[in-house]
Amino acid sequence: DAGITQSPRYKITETGRQVTLMCHQTWSHSYMFWYRQDLGHGLRLIYYSAAADITDKGEVPDGYVVSRSKTENFPLTLESATRSQTSVYFCASSRGAAVSSNTEAFFGQGTRLTVV
Amino acid sequence: TQLLEQSPQFLSIQEGENLTVYCNSSSVFSSLQWYRQEPGEGPVLLVTVVTGGEVKKLKRLTFQFGDARKDSSLHITAAQPGDTGLYLCAFNDYKLSFGAGTTVTVRA
């Protein structure tokens, strides 16, 4: 199906384990983003990517790793999960990132991650 | 510290009442966006405002961009329970950044 999909929708993992959250979009959008959402903080940017093989840190990148070998995929890896990384994670994509471009961001349905 | 400050943090009103939420910053923006997020879903774009002083209407929702392009407001007329959600303002300067949001609850 067309759109942006995240998997898994729910994940429980243990402290210290590595976990990867997947994000796939079918529009060939250049920009992709990863956020975490916690009560009282809104959406905080973890990493973003302007194109394949181009990634950059956002507001809260520590403890996370991303890659973008293909335009349509943008996986997020927690190298050694901690309880503070318990959160809802959202992936988003947009065609452009400037006022002259179409900057509407489209979001996945989120992944609820619990680290125990 | 977030670049975009939203207020109030929470707002609970009765169906039929009006409400206004605010998005403020000390920075000047080329454009601002408003998104609405419903429980269990990702945010969805409502509007993008580009010109200082601009007013955009989307049915019962009115969006305004400040003259100095540092702030924006969202006004809902005759709120309905379907307007319940988290309202987020954002700007996109190659990294899409959000305010903390205003949680709006409209009681039937």
Side-chain angles (χ1 to χ4, degrees):
Chain A
D1 288 345
I4 182 165
T5 54
Q6 292 184 234
S7 61
R9 290 293 310 278
Y10 303 91
K11 176 75 176 178
I12 299 174
T13 192
E14 294 178 338
T15 300
R17 289 198 180 263
Q18 183 181 81
V19 60
T20 296
L21 309 184
M22 305 301 293
C23 180
H24 175 78
Q25 52 104 355
T26 60
W27 295 300
S28 298
H29 283 170
S30 295
Y31 286 83
M32 296 189 75
F33 310 87
W34 271 108
Y35 297 89
R36 60 178 292 171
Q37 187 170 37
D38 307 287
L39 281 175
H41 289 282
L43 288 161
R44 290 187 290 176
L45 183 64
I46 305 170
Y47 270 95
Y48 67 104
S49 169
D53 297 321
I54 300 175
T55 63
D56 208 347
K57 295 178 180 179
E59 182 185 353
V60 288
D62 293 343
Y64 303 95
V65 174
V66 293
S67 62
R68 194 159 176 214
S69 57
K70 293 183 178 181
T71 299
E72 60 267 30
N73 296 323
F74 192 37
L76 175 74
T77 298
L78 287 67
E79 295 184 295
S80 178
T82 65
R83 289 196 180 89
S84 65
Q85 293 178 308
T86 292
S87 187
V88 180
Y89 290 85
F90 285 98
C91 177
S93 72
S94 70
R95 193 167 69 190
V99 69
S100 60
S101 305
N102 186 340
T103 62
E104 178 176 2
F106 296 86
F107 284 78
Q109 289 195 295
T111 294
R112 184 175 294 275
L113 177 68
T114 302
V115 183
V116 298
Chain B
T1 303
Q2 292 189 277
L3 193 57
L4 291 170
E5 299 291 334
Q6 291 193 244
S7 62
Q9 187 175 0
F10 299 98
L11 193 55
S12 180
I13 61 170
Q14 201 69 33
E15 181 177 4
E17 294 181 337
N18 302 331
L19 68 97
T20 302
V21 299
Y22 300 93
C23 176
N24 295 293
S25 178
S26 57
S27 300
V28 176
F29 299 106
S30 55
S31 64
L32 280 177
Q33 297 179 322
W34 284 93
Y35 289 78
R36 179 169 67 203
Q37 183 180 20
E38 298 184 8
E41 302 290 332
V44 175
L45 180 69
L46 295 173
V47 77
T48 301
V49 286
V50 177
T51 306
E54 181 177 9
V55 176
K56 281 191 173 179
K57 293 193 175 184
L58 186 65
K59 298 183 180 178
R60 294 176 293 99
L61 279 61
T62 302
F63 303 85
Q64 186 161 8
F65 199 13
D67 291 339
R69 305 204 318 276
K70 292 183 177 183
D71 55 84
S72 183
S73 64
L74 158 59
H75 181 80
I76 301 179
T77 303
Q80 299 177 0
D83 296 324
T84 292
L86 176 65
Y87 289 83
L88 296 153
C89 65
F91 71 94
N92 197 344
D93 62 347
Y94 301 97
K95 47 182 180 179
L96 180 60
S97 299
F98 287 84
T102 296
T103 299
V104 172
T105 303
V106 182
R107 305 184 304 275

